[in-house]
Amino acid sequence: MFSNRTLPKTWSRVSLALLVSIWLATAGNIHLWQSLWALPEITGLRGAAFMGAFGLGIAGVIFSLLILSAWPLVLKAVSVILLISAASSTFFMLSYGIVIDASMLANVVATDAREVADLLSWRLVATLLFVGIVPAIWVCSRPLRGAPPFKRLWQNALLAVVALGFAVGMALVVFQDMASVMRNHKQIRYMINPLNGLYASVRLGINQLPHQQLPLAVIGEDAALGSTYQATQRPLRLLLVVGETSRAANWQMGGYARPTNPELAPKLARGDLQYYRNVMSCGTNTAASLPCMFSALGKADYEDLKGPQEGLLDVLQRAGLAVLWIDNQSGCKGVCDRVPNVNTRTLDIPAYCATGECFDAVMLDGLDERIAALSAAQRDKGVVVVLHQMGSHGPAYFKRAPDAFKDFKPECTSNALQSCDRQAVINAYDNSVRYTDHLLASAIQWLSAQPNNDAALWYVSDHGESLGENNLYLHGLPYSLAPIEQKHVPQVSWFSKGMQQRLQLDTGCLAGRADAELTHDNLFHTMLGVADVKTQLYQPDLDVTATCRAVK
């Protein structure tokens, strides 16, 4: 494909589109062919015949798209875009076992430069070169023959129809096998390069563009502070910690065999805090989960939401509380846009940021001063602070904990997780959980030291993570296909003695809810209950604390 010795001086657009289509259907779909061949249904000659027909069908669909764009400069530009996008998708699917859908694409769009840097590797460069860049250079260097516009138009349309007919014919030839594979292994449909990326782009555009153009829907206009604010002069201090990529399977307090919670586990044993073992996330990536978990709607209704809508922080602030969002990650995905917020990732504090990336404890540094800068009238009633962690964000887990908290060794120090021993990957991940344990213990200590305040802490992660189970890494699979590791998240609560008295809260009752089946849907209503904010939006049956406190 890349030799110049026998090439004609000029190329027809049909020949070029055909070769690019074949290249994308074969080399651009290495992960697809590996995944198909590993299926129990795909064996022997029949399996080989199915894969051959499937591949020809994919090539036919790609060719129909390319030939429709077979105009001067356009064909080469479209070919280059498809080659590079297919190469990128190939790397991530091969390396981490992910698939490409609209949710994953939204997550990619929301990724910042530092997160991209964590993904860079020689494997990525090699895959981009072999599958995408070199073929793209070759395509750009081919001179194309001209043709009259009208002739080009009808020929392109005719060839596209023929190619689509060919693809349909190939599908019909192996329809029985294809129907079985697609029904039993739904993830396969998200592996077909570059059609997966094209479909995801269209779906993302359909879902996001109209949503963003609609006006923001205001909610909780009736929000008001409850009776506890008249019954006591002590202001509220509510610290909500949003974990990042922390899966429940690796939390000691949830039954994990390793001591990943050495600071919190003794508090749990004494009854000083509560751990909830059966909490499921709203999504499998931050872009999906974060806005959903702060929404009043719950997962099902949020996914059907047609336009932007205010969330928990807007309601708390409208009720009269001071609200502050502190981010040590890539942003709040719109959740904190209307409340005071700060990002700590760019700070230069040697104790926390010596490696060029700030560890999560930096969010507690100077927190008193940040709170003091908030509205005095609101602050005197109460303060709600949200800490958005870097947590266990992968694949560079080894960057998420200082050396003093790396209890599990050896750890994987590469972002190419499949190149590491799996136990080393788990060690690096467990060290990040160990550091989150320290952050929460430090946060509780900070809250306990607040003078004349009724304090509470609530922690929940946004989604989980795959660590090599079934050769899957990271997160972001479509929710219906995602393994439990990407959806099962840890949740912790702690209440000071003053807060227990304020709400007449029975923490023993809360401890008895450790095995209750909970989701992110509970967060909005639980925070309203804990903060004692009254609004018709509040649903007591979704408040984790409702049955355990006398103050309603």
Side-chain angles (χ1 to χ4, degrees):
M1 180 174 177
F2 304 107
S3 173
N4 287 314
R5 295 178 182 176
T6 59
L7 290 176
K9 291 183 179 180
T10 60
W11 280 69
S12 74
R13 63 193 186 283
V14 176
S15 299
L16 189 68
L18 184 60
L19 280 179
V20 172
S21 301
I22 293 172
W23 179 256
L24 287 169
T26 53
N29 276 283
I30 297 172
H31 180 63
L32 171 66
W33 305 128
Q34 285 184 350
S35 300
L36 281 174
W37 193 247
L39 298 179
E41 302 98 314
I42 309 300
T43 57
L45 291 177
R46 179 166 178 166
F50 165 73
M51 291 178 64
F54 195 25
L56 289 171
I58 293 171
V61 175
I62 298 172
F63 178 79
S64 69
L65 295 173
L66 284 174
I67 201 64
L68 285 175
S69 67
W71 298 87
L73 300 179
V74 178
L75 175 60
K76 290 185 178 182
V78 172
S79 297
V80 168
I81 292 171
L82 293 183
L83 286 164
I84 300 301
S85 64
S88 302
S89 297
T90 294
F91 168 76
F92 289 108
M93 289 193 292
L94 280 173
S95 297
Y96 304 116
I98 66 170
V99 297
I100 309 300
D101 72 331
S103 179
M104 178 61 73
L105 196 60
N107 209 37
V108 170
V109 171
T111 299
D112 65 11
R114 293 194 182 190
E115 292 176 350
V116 171
D118 283 346
L119 296 169
L120 298 179
S121 69
W122 287 111
R123 286 190 176 192
L124 173 59
V125 173
T127 306
L128 286 175
L129 279 172
F130 175 70
V131 179
I133 295 175
V134 172
I137 293 172
W138 181 87
V139 167
C140 291
S141 67
R142 300 305 96 184
L144 295 177
R145 300 189 196 114
F150 180 75
K151 181 180 180 181
R152 188 192 303 270
L153 178 63
W154 74 259
Q155 283 184 344
N156 288 359
L158 178 61
L159 286 169
V161 171
V162 171
L164 281 177
F166 174 78
V168 171
M170 289 296 99
L172 291 175
V173 168
V174 292
F175 180 78
Q176 185 176 354
D177 290 335
M178 180 178 291
S180 175
V181 167
M182 292 301 181
R183 181 174 60 251
N184 297 324
H185 308 281
K186 295 180 180 179
Q187 71 275 16
I188 294 297
R189 69 189 66 180
Y190 300 106
M191 298 180 185
I192 305 173
N193 250 339
L195 304 179
N196 51 2
L198 292 174
Y199 178 76
S201 300
V202 172
R203 290 300 307 169
L204 186 63
I206 291 173
N207 293 338
Q208 293 293 324
L209 291 180
H211 180 278
Q212 293 172 354
Q213 292 172 355
L214 291 172
L216 178 71
V218 177
I219 64 171
E221 293 184 275
D222 61 335
L225 301 179
S227 61
T228 58
Y229 294 88
Q230 287 75 46
T232 178
Q233 296 301 309
R234 296 190 303 273
L236 172 75
R237 285 289 185 272
L238 175 56
L239 192 59
L240 173 57
V241 183
V242 179
E244 168 63 36
T245 321
S246 197
R247 68 186 214 167
N250 289 55
W251 277 60
Q252 176 189 353
M253 293 188 294
Y256 188 45
R258 306 181 90 180
T260 53
N261 302 130
E263 296 183 60
L264 294 183
K267 298 180 186 295
L268 177 66
R270 293 193 302 267
D272 294 340
L273 56 78
Q274 301 78 43
Y275 181 81
Y276 306 88
R277 299 188 184 96
N278 295 312
V279 182
M280 301 297 286
S281 68
C282 191
T284 62
N285 60 69
T286 303
S289 268
L290 200 58
C292 179
M293 64 197 291
F294 279 84
S295 169
L297 298 175
K299 175 178 169 59
D301 291 334
Y302 177 80
E303 290 174 348
D304 292 333
L305 186 63
K306 303 304 181 185
Q309 186 180 91
E310 290 182 339
L312 173 64
L313 303 188
D314 300 285
V315 176
L316 294 175
Q317 182 171 255
R318 182 167 291 118
L321 297 175
V323 179
L324 174 64
W325 179 285
I326 302 180
D327 211 303
N328 197 40
Q329 226 225 87
S330 58
C332 67
K333 318 306 180 190
V335 172
C336 66
D337 287 355
R338 295 162 297 279
V339 302
N341 60 83
V342 63
N343 195 298
T344 58
R345 296 187 75 186
T346 58
L347 297 179
D348 184 16
I349 303 175
Y352 305 107
C353 313
T355 63
E357 177 180 298
C358 295
F359 295 116
D360 282 333
V362 72
M363 294 186 287
L364 295 174
D365 186 74
L367 183 52
D368 291 313
E369 290 78 9
R370 296 189 191 280
I371 290 174
L374 299 174
S375 162
Q378 292 176 310
R379 191 178 67 235
D380 290 344
K381 292 294 185 182
V383 178
V384 179
V385 178
V386 183
L387 305 182
H388 185 202
Q389 285 186 267
M390 192 63 172
S392 300
H393 195 285
Y397 306 123
F398 66 96
K399 292 183 178 181
R400 308 300 173 234
D403 290 340
F405 296 91
K406 294 190 175 184
D407 297 345
F408 308 103
K409 295 182 179 180
E411 66 172 3
C412 175
T413 56
S414 170
N415 54 10
L417 299 180
Q418 288 186 328
S419 67
C420 290
D421 177 78
R422 183 162 177 258
Q423 187 57 54
V425 173
I426 293 171
N427 288 345
Y429 184 86
D430 284 350
N431 288 332
S432 71
V433 177
R434 165 69 183 94
Y435 187 59
T436 290
D437 175 78
H438 173 70
L439 173 72
L440 296 180
S442 299
I444 291 173
Q445 183 178 10
W446 176 81
L447 286 168
S448 300
Q450 294 296 300
N452 195 35
N453 284 274
D454 294 335
L457 176 141
W458 198 274
Y459 166 88
V460 64
S461 183
D462 61 348
H463 56 78
E465 187 86 326
S466 288
L467 295 177
E469 298 86 4
N470 299 313
N471 207 34
L472 290 176
Y473 289 89
L474 303 183
H475 54 268
L477 281 177
Y479 200 87
S480 61
L481 302 178
I484 189 68
E485 291 85 4
Q486 294 188 24
K487 298 184 285 190
H488 185 200
V489 294
Q491 183 167 276
V492 178
S493 63
W494 172 89
F495 298 89
S496 69
K497 296 297 183 183
M499 192 66 172
Q500 294 175 42
Q501 294 172 2
R502 180 190 187 106
L503 298 176
Q504 298 178 43
L505 178 67
D506 182 351
T507 55
C509 170
L510 273 185
R513 303 210 65 195
D515 292 315
E517 294 184 358
L518 306 172
T519 71
H520 277 162
D521 290 2
N522 299 103
L523 183 66
F524 181 93
H525 306 280
T526 301
M527 292 302 97
L528 290 183
V530 170
D532 190 21
V533 169
K534 306 302 181 185
T535 169
Q536 291 183 354
L537 294 170
Y538 173 70
Q539 298 180 42
D541 57 323
L542 290 176
D543 179 354
V544 177
T545 68
T547 58
C548 297
R549 53 183 171 81
V551 174
K552 303 297 183 181

